């Protein structure tokens, strides 16, 4: 309730500084007078200035990761009022996120090995979320090409299906390629959190390698608009818009939309098969030519609309949202670059309604409940019908057989249901219990529009799977110096679908169902050896349930296996970190040791049926991973920051025998797992010139580089070393220049990626783009 003196219409000023209980500045906190439209945010020194008519008010201060503080204030006409505010960290699963330098931070008080990227400094760039993640220790994203290409995420030696992705704690299984990490613009997220190896029960997941959680901005904002557009090499267009408003009565709406488009027509170096006039072909594998990609256009569009209520007695947040996405992708090559397609493509769209409910102190003080539910209806078409063979010149040769790779015009409908329930109960400041349950349901039905029966699947048999994962944890936090968490997880999966009765795993399909269940457990602890020196140790007996693709294939050239067993893994993480601020200087150093022992490893192999090669899966093997990564960062005041990471992972086959129940020793026993980067590093340097030309304007220059050691495509201990195919050693460099005007309201950016024009490969023979230039314009308005 606001009480104003009738005669007090002249505005007066209140100023102050917002700091945390740990004596750290809280920048970009929201400060406003309750029940009014008067508000502002703190600057980089945590200082706020707010003008309003004289009178009695309630001053509200809120910031991400902190408890909201309310203080009564009286503004007297003609006087300058001063009020400093101290705010405390929220008692949540993540606890305190402390930004160190250049956007990289640690989830400091959590016992789990977790790091975070603050995207604020990256939002004027053309980077995607995958680019932002690459600056974290142990992280690497492997791409098969340019914009929209297939990707594989690596985290501490684990890749792909071992690492799960969440948005605001909601699993992103089955959401489609539009929401791949390499397609989502960095502006979409406020920060990205990465849990390495051992995962808290709050995520309710079956990840072995870790979790990536994309956190969006849910701060209560009066109104805002964030819009950007970029254009660059290879006819690449990217745009993003996010706008919304929260009214005084708690009603809110928000719209978030983005698109990507690129011809991806960059040059590559390869040999070319020529079509001669007599109908024959001629190939000279020793003659490498520079050619342009021509069947690699990609575009996607996505829009999210939200409407709901916030800060009500019955709900802190009750939001209904609708997400629509659309995708079109031309397919230029197979798994090797010498195989080239000229017309094969894929397209699809999805629609996902979702509901989100959050309430703190439900029924009793200390009980916080969050509930989410969504349904995703996704349709994907694979089209390969033309009777031609293409070469890298773009020439084509009539073959008389429909289909460049495998004749098909198929349509798959995927239906994904997901529900999550999470309850935190703080018995006191020292004791917290967390209960989490996730239900995921998947169903796929497929049909062919042409008279061609699928070789690797049976469209007449629907594919279904249902996963239930429950977790319970207890956290003890007797002091700020140390805390400890122990947890248990229950995994259950039902799957039903076609399984082949033939020895080669193809054809003669029958419907089969299977149910598996497992019990996992773990513990994590952290201890502050010194005020700025922190140690973390965690262990988990974890399980990973087979994915939809492993169970059912992709209806193209991946054959599923419905009776796969879950992977079992013992995970150990140890982390030591030191951070200190002395005067204008800030330093941060950390190192991690990683150990994984995985049994019933789901291996992907290459099989052959007739003349068709396809991917297949089986449970066999034991894999051990031992490795480390180190990271260091330094900052000076607000004008310099630099840092980098170095990563080394030793992942080896630990299965002694060729197959279970036999005594025939495997040739690959103790050999390094092939086709995996095992040593890589990155470095970045940023310079800032603040108040350049005009107060509030900032010019920034950023350099970053990436190094990758060479690695073998096949097993390194089999065959002659001189003939082995290897992904070469690489060292790439990028530059970005940004000028922000009027405290970030208007922003102009220019980037040059791979400015030394290196030949870059994440996968053998699949060359990525060379030197490229991009420009971006961004505007931001709002409170």
């Amino acid at each position: 309730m606001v009480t104003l003196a009738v005669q007090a219409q002249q505005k007066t000023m209140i100023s102050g500084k917002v700091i945390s209980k740990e004596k750290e500045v809280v920048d970009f906190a929201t400060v406003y007078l309750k029940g009014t439209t008067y508000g502002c945010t703190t600057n980089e020194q945590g200082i706020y200035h707010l003008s309003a008519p004289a009178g009695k008010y309630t001053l509200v201060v809120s910031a991400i990761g902190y408890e909201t503080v309310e203080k009564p204030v009286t503004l007297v006409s003609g006087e300058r009022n001063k009020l400093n505010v101290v705010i405390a960290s929220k008692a949540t699963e993540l606890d305190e996120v402390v930004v160190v330098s250049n956007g990289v931070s640690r989830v400091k008080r959590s016992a789990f090995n977790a790091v975070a990227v603050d995207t604020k400094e990256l939002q004027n760039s053309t980077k995607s979320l995958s680019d932002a993640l690459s600056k974290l220790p142990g992280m690497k994203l492997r791409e098969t090409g340019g914009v929209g290409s297939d990707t594989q995420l690596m985290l501490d030696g684990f890749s792909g299906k071992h690492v799960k992705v969440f948005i605001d704690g909601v699993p992103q299984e089955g959401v489609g390629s539009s929401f791949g990490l390499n397609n989502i613009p960095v502006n979409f997220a406020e920060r990205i959190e990465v849990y390495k190896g051992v995962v808290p029960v709050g995520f309710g997941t079956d990840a072995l390698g870790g979790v990536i959680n994309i956190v969006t901005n849910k701060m209560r904002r009066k109104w805002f608009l964030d819009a950007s557009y970029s254009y660059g090499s290879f006819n690449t267009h990217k745009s993003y818009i996010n706008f919304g408003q929260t009214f005084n009565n708690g009603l809110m709406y928000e719209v978030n939309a983005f698109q990507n488009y690129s011809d991806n027509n960059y040059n590559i170096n390869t040999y070319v098969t020529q079509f001669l006039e007599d109908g024959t072909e001629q190939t000279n594998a020793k003659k490498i030519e520079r050619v342009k990609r021509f069947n690699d256009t990609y575009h996607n569009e996505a829009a999210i609309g939200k409407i709901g209520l916030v800060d009500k007695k019955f709900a802190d947040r009750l939001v209904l949202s609708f997400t629509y996405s659309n995708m079109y992708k031309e397919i230029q090559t197979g798994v090797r670059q010498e195989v080239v397609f000229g017309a094969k493509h894929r397209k699809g769209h999805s629609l996902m309604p979702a509901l989100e409910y959050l309430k703190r102190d439900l029924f009793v003080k200390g009980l916080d409940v969050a509930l989410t539910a969504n349904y995703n209806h996704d349709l994907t078409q694979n089209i390969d019908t033309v009777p031609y063979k293409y070469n890298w010149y773009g020439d084509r040769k009539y073959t008389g057989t429909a289909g460049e790779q495998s004749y098909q015009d198929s349509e798959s409908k995927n239906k994904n249901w997901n529900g999550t329930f999470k309850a935190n109960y703080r018995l006191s400041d020292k004791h917290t219990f967390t209960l989490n349950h996730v239900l995921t349901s998947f169903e796929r039905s497929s049909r062919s529009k042409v008279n061609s029966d699928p070789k690797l699947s049976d469209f007449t048999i629907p594919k279904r799977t249902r996963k239930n994962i429950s977790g319970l944890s207890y956290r003890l936090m007797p002091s700020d110096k140390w805390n400890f968490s122990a947890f248990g997880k229950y995994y259950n999966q039902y799957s039903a679908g076609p399984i082949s009765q033939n020895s080669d795993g193809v054809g003669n399909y029958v419907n089969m169902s299977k149910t598996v269940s497992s019990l996992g457990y773990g513990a994590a602890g952290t201890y502050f050896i010194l005020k700025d020196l922190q140690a973390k140790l965690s262990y988990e007996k974890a399980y990973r349930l087979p994915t939809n693709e492993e169970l059912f294939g992709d209806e193209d050239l991946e054959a599923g296996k419905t009776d796969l067993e879950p992977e079992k893994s013992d995970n150990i993480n140890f982390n030591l970190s030191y951070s200190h601020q002395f005067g204008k200087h800030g330093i941060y150093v950390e190192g991690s040791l990683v150990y994984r022992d995985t049994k019933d490893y789901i291996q992907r192999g290459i099989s052959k049926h007739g003349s068709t090669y396809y991917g297949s899966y089986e449970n066999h093997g034991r894999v051990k991973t031992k490795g480390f990564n180190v990271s260091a960062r330094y900052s000076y005041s607000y004008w310099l920051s630099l840092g980098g990471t170095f990563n080394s992972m030793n992942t080896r086959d630990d299965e002694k025998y060729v197959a279970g129940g036999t005594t025939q020793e495997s040739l690959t026993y103790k050999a390094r797992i092939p086709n995996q980067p095992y040593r890589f590093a990155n470095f970045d340097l940023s310079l800032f010139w603040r108040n350049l030309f005009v107060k509030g304007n900032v010019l920034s220059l950023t350099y970053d580089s990436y190094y990758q050691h060479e690695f073998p495509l096949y097993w390194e201990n089999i065959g002659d070393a001189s003939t082995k195919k290897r992904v070469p050693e690489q060292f790439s460099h990028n530059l970005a220049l940004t000028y922000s005007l009027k405290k970030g309201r208007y922003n102009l950016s220019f980037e040059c990626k791979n400015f030394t024009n290196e030949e870059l490969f994440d996968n053998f023979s699949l060359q990525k783009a060379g030197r490229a230039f991009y420009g971006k314009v961004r505007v931001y308005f709002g409170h």
Side-chain angles (χ1 to χ4, degrees):
M1 185 70 179
V2 179
T3 303
L4 295 176
V6 175
Q7 71 275 16
Q9 296 300 319
Q10 183 181 357
K11 286 190 177 182
T12 186
M13 174 77 72
I14 182 171
S15 304
K17 190 172 186 178
V18 179
I19 59 173
S20 69
K21 283 189 173 181
E22 292 76 25
K23 308 300 183 184
E24 294 172 337
V25 166
V26 180
D27 56 355
F28 298 99
T30 299
V31 182
Y32 65 97
L33 299 177
K34 194 172 184 179
T36 75
T37 59
Y38 301 110
C40 65
T41 58
T42 59
N43 63 16
E44 293 167 339
Q45 289 80 38
I47 297 171
Y48 71 92
H49 301 285
L50 192 154
S51 295
K56 293 182 178 180
Y57 299 89
T58 297
L59 184 77
V60 182
V61 180
S62 63
I64 295 295
Y66 294 92
E67 297 286 356
T68 299
V69 172
E70 298 187 3
K71 287 183 175 292
V73 295
T74 300
L75 305 187
V76 179
S77 179
E79 294 185 9
R80 189 176 182 91
N81 304 272
K82 184 176 181 180
L83 178 64
N84 295 332
V85 181
V86 178
I87 57 178
S89 302
K90 283 183 180 178
T92 63
E93 186 77 32
L94 291 177
D95 281 309
E96 180 186 1
V97 178
V98 180
V99 176
V100 193
S101 81
N102 207 29
V104 176
S105 58
R106 286 209 63 80
V107 184
K108 190 173 181 182
R109 294 166 70 184
S110 169
F112 297 91
N113 186 9
V115 290
V117 178
D118 185 344
T119 65
K120 180 174 59 181
E121 293 180 2
L122 303 173
Q123 290 182 353
N124 291 324
S125 72
T126 61
K127 293 183 182 296
S128 64
L129 291 184
S130 60
D131 296 321
L133 283 168
S134 62
K135 64 164 56 180
L136 291 176
M139 295 290 307
K140 182 171 180 59
L141 191 87
R142 300 175 69 182
E143 296 180 287
T144 60
V147 176
S149 61
D150 295 333
T151 61
Q152 186 182 55
L153 185 71
M154 292 191 62
L155 175 58
D156 284 349
F158 276 90
S159 61
K161 305 170 183 68
H162 297 99
V163 182
K164 304 294 185 181
V165 178
F166 291 72
I167 295 181
D168 292 326
V170 178
Q172 295 299 291
E173 295 185 40
V175 296
S177 66
S178 288
F179 283 87
L181 290 173
N182 62 328
N183 288 330
I184 302 177
V186 73
N187 304 63
F188 183 84
E190 182 179 60
R191 69 177 184 272
I192 315 169
E193 300 160 350
V194 178
Y195 286 81
K196 306 171 69 177
V198 181
V199 178
V201 300
F203 289 105
T205 186
D206 56 332
L208 291 187
V211 155
I212 295 170
N213 185 33
I214 301 165
V215 181
T216 62
N217 190 342
K218 293 187 177 181
M219 183 185 297
R220 179 169 178 161
R221 291 174 283 179
K222 291 293 182 181
W223 65 271
F224 62 94
L225 168 68
D226 187 0
S228 62
Y229 169 77
S230 69
Y231 173 76
S233 300
F234 322 121
N235 195 27
T236 300
H237 305 257
K238 296 184 178 183
S239 58
Y240 172 81
I241 186 168
N242 178 212
F243 64 90
Q245 187 175 9
T246 302
F247 299 96
N248 291 336
N249 62 3
L251 178 66
M252 62 80 65
Y253 71 90
E254 182 177 349
V255 175
N256 204 320
F258 61 89
Q259 64 82 217
N260 301 282
Y261 176 93
S262 181
D263 290 338
N264 287 318
N265 56 346
Y266 56 89
N267 292 317
I268 61 170
N269 301 316
T270 184
Y271 63 82
V272 181
T273 297
Q274 299 187 48
F275 302 144
L276 304 181
E277 292 183 359
D278 60 3
T280 61
E281 300 176 9
Q282 178 177 298
T283 302
N284 183 357
K286 294 183 179 180
K287 182 183 179 183
I288 302 300
E289 301 186 50
R290 191 159 180 80
V291 296
K292 183 176 289 188
R293 297 170 72 99
F294 60 92
N295 183 50
D296 204 17
T297 295
Y298 175 85
H299 68 82
N300 77 298
E301 301 80 32
I304 307 168
K306 298 180 180 180
I307 187 169
L309 297 168
V310 297
D311 298 332
K312 293 294 185 181
K313 289 184 178 180
F314 57 87
D316 292 328
R317 185 175 176 87
L318 177 62
V319 175
L320 178 66
S321 66
F322 294 90
T323 300
Y324 174 80
S325 64
N326 179 69
M327 173 273 295
Y328 172 84
K329 175 181 175 60
E330 294 176 349
I331 301 174
Q332 179 72 89
T333 69
V335 295
R336 298 281 289 275
Q337 196 161 273
E338 54 263 33
V339 178
V340 55
F341 303 127
K344 184 175 180 179
H345 62 282
R346 181 179 299 135
K347 59 184 178 179
H349 62 268
S350 68
L351 178 66
M352 183 173 70
L355 180 67
E356 174 190 358
Y357 174 79
L358 173 66
K359 182 68 178 77
R360 296 184 182 275
D361 299 323
L362 179 67
F363 305 132
V364 295
K365 185 173 179 58
L367 178 61
D368 301 338
V369 173
L371 177 68
T372 65
N374 62 62
Y375 167 72
N376 183 43
H377 185 93
D378 177 86
L379 185 145
T380 301
Q381 291 178 264
N382 288 297
I383 302 169
D384 182 8
T385 57
V386 300
Y388 296 101
K389 182 178 181 179
Y390 288 80
N391 67 10
W392 274 113
Y393 294 147
D395 301 333
R396 67 181 188 178
K397 172 186 174 182
Y398 181 72
T399 62
T401 303
E404 299 178 71
Q405 184 179 40
S406 177
Y407 180 43
Q408 63 173 318
D409 185 354
S410 61
E411 179 182 274
S412 295
K413 291 182 180 179
N414 298 324
K415 301 176 183 178
N416 293 271
W417 291 90
N418 178 272
T420 65
F421 172 80
K422 178 182 176 181
N424 273 322
Y425 182 55
R426 300 182 300 279
L427 192 60
S428 67
D429 291 340
K430 298 180 180 180
H431 308 280
T432 302
F433 293 89
T434 300
L435 174 67
N436 193 93
H437 181 77
V438 174
L439 167 64
T440 303
S441 177
F442 170 84
E443 179 180 344
R444 176 192 293 164
S445 58
S446 304
R447 67 186 181 95
S448 176
K449 297 182 179 180
V450 295
N451 296 322
S452 176
D453 295 326
K455 298 177 181 178
L456 307 181
S457 184
D458 189 329
F459 285 177
T460 66
I461 301 176
K463 292 88 173 173
R464 299 186 181 93
T465 184
R466 183 175 61 250
K467 292 195 297 186
N468 283 277
I469 303 174
S470 302
L472 178 64
S473 72
Y474 164 71
R475 180 184 183 186
L476 172 65
M477 190 174 177
S479 71
D480 288 339
K481 194 168 185 177
W482 69 277
N483 67 79
F484 171 82
S485 295
F487 59 89
K489 295 180 182 179
Y490 175 73
Y491 308 83
N492 178 270
Q493 182 178 37
Y494 165 83
S495 56
I499 189 166
S500 173
Q501 300 299 294
N502 295 341
S503 59
D504 64 355
V506 176
N508 191 20
Y509 295 98
V510 296
N511 195 9
M512 174 194 169
S513 63
K514 182 175 183 176
T515 301
V516 296
S517 58
S518 304
L519 183 64
Y521 50 87
T526 183
Y527 180 76
F528 283 87
I529 303 171
L530 301 171
K531 179 184 177 182
D532 298 319
L533 181 63
Q534 182 182 15
K536 295 186 177 188
L537 179 65
S538 56
Y539 164 79
E540 182 179 14
K541 180 72 173 181
Y543 292 83
R544 184 181 74 83
L545 304 173
T547 66
N548 300 330
E549 184 177 281
E550 291 167 335
L551 291 170
F552 309 127
D554 67 351
E555 314 300 351
D556 190 3
L557 289 177
E558 294 284 327
K561 191 174 183 183
T562 309
D563 58 348
L564 287 172
E565 294 288 336
E567 291 181 332
K568 310 168 184 66
S569 179
D570 292 285
N571 300 339
I572 300 175
N573 289 269
F574 175 73
N575 177 270
L576 196 64
S577 63
Y578 176 79
S579 62
H580 186 68
Q581 188 78 30
F582 48 100
K584 295 182 179 182
H585 304 271
I587 60 171
Y588 177 74
V589 181
E590 75 154 290
S592 294
L593 297 175
V594 176
Y595 175 82
R596 308 277 190 277
D597 184 358
T598 307
K599 305 176 185 68
D600 282 333
Y601 186 75
I602 298 178
Q603 284 183 312
R604 180 185 182 275
I606 302 296
S607 302
K608 187 177 183 180
H609 178 73
S611 60
T612 301
Y613 288 92
Y614 62 93
S616 59
Y617 300 89
E618 67 172 347
N619 281 113
H620 175 66
R622 182 173 182 174
V623 172
K624 283 188 178 179
T625 300
K626 302 174 184 177
F628 70 91
N629 48 64
V630 293
S631 177
R633 296 202 168 263
Y634 166 77
S635 65
Y636 177 74
S637 187
Y638 288 100
W639 73 270
L640 168 69
S641 73
L642 60 92
T645 71
F646 178 82
N647 311 273
S648 179
M649 290 294 150
N650 189 11
T651 305
R652 295 184 179 270
D653 180 11
D654 201 49
E655 183 62 41
K656 188 172 184 179
Y657 302 106
V658 173
T662 71
T663 58
Q664 181 183 353
E665 291 198 4
S666 171
L667 294 175
T668 61
Y669 180 53
K670 298 298 183 183
R672 190 189 304 276
I673 298 296
N675 197 25
Q676 281 197 16
Y678 59 87
R679 191 170 298 131
F680 50 95
N682 63 70
F683 173 81
D684 59 74
L685 168 66
S686 295
L687 298 170
F688 303 90
W689 291 269
R690 302 183 184 276
N691 300 318
L692 185 66
F693 305 130
V694 179
K695 187 176 181 179
N697 293 4
V698 180
L699 179 70
S700 63
L701 176 66
T702 298
Y703 161 81
D704 60 73
S705 62
Y706 297 89
Y707 167 80
Q708 177 182 284
H709 192 273
E710 68 171 11
F711 58 91
L713 178 63
Y714 301 118
W715 293 101
E716 58 187 358
N717 65 330
I718 297 178
D720 185 353
S722 64
T723 63
K724 288 188 182 298
K725 292 180 169 61
R726 308 181 73 86
V727 177
E729 183 178 75
Q730 297 162 66
F731 192 22
S732 64
H733 313 269
N734 309 306
L735 278 174
L737 184 69
T738 298
Y739 188 52
S740 295
L741 299 86
K742 297 192 178 234
K743 297 182 179 181
R745 177 171 292 183
Y746 308 102
N747 308 272
L748 302 171
S749 303
F750 177 77
E751 297 178 52
C752 180
K753 296 185 178 180
N754 188 14
F755 65 77
T756 56
N757 204 28
E758 303 292 328
E759 289 188 26
L760 302 180
F761 302 86
D762 283 336
N763 297 277
F764 180 77
S765 90
L766 296 179
Q767 188 174 341
K768 300 172 66 178
R771 185 186 297 116
F773 298 94
Y774 300 92
K776 180 177 179 178
V777 178
R778 175 179 175 239
V779 295
Y780 182 86
F781 299 92
H783 298 286

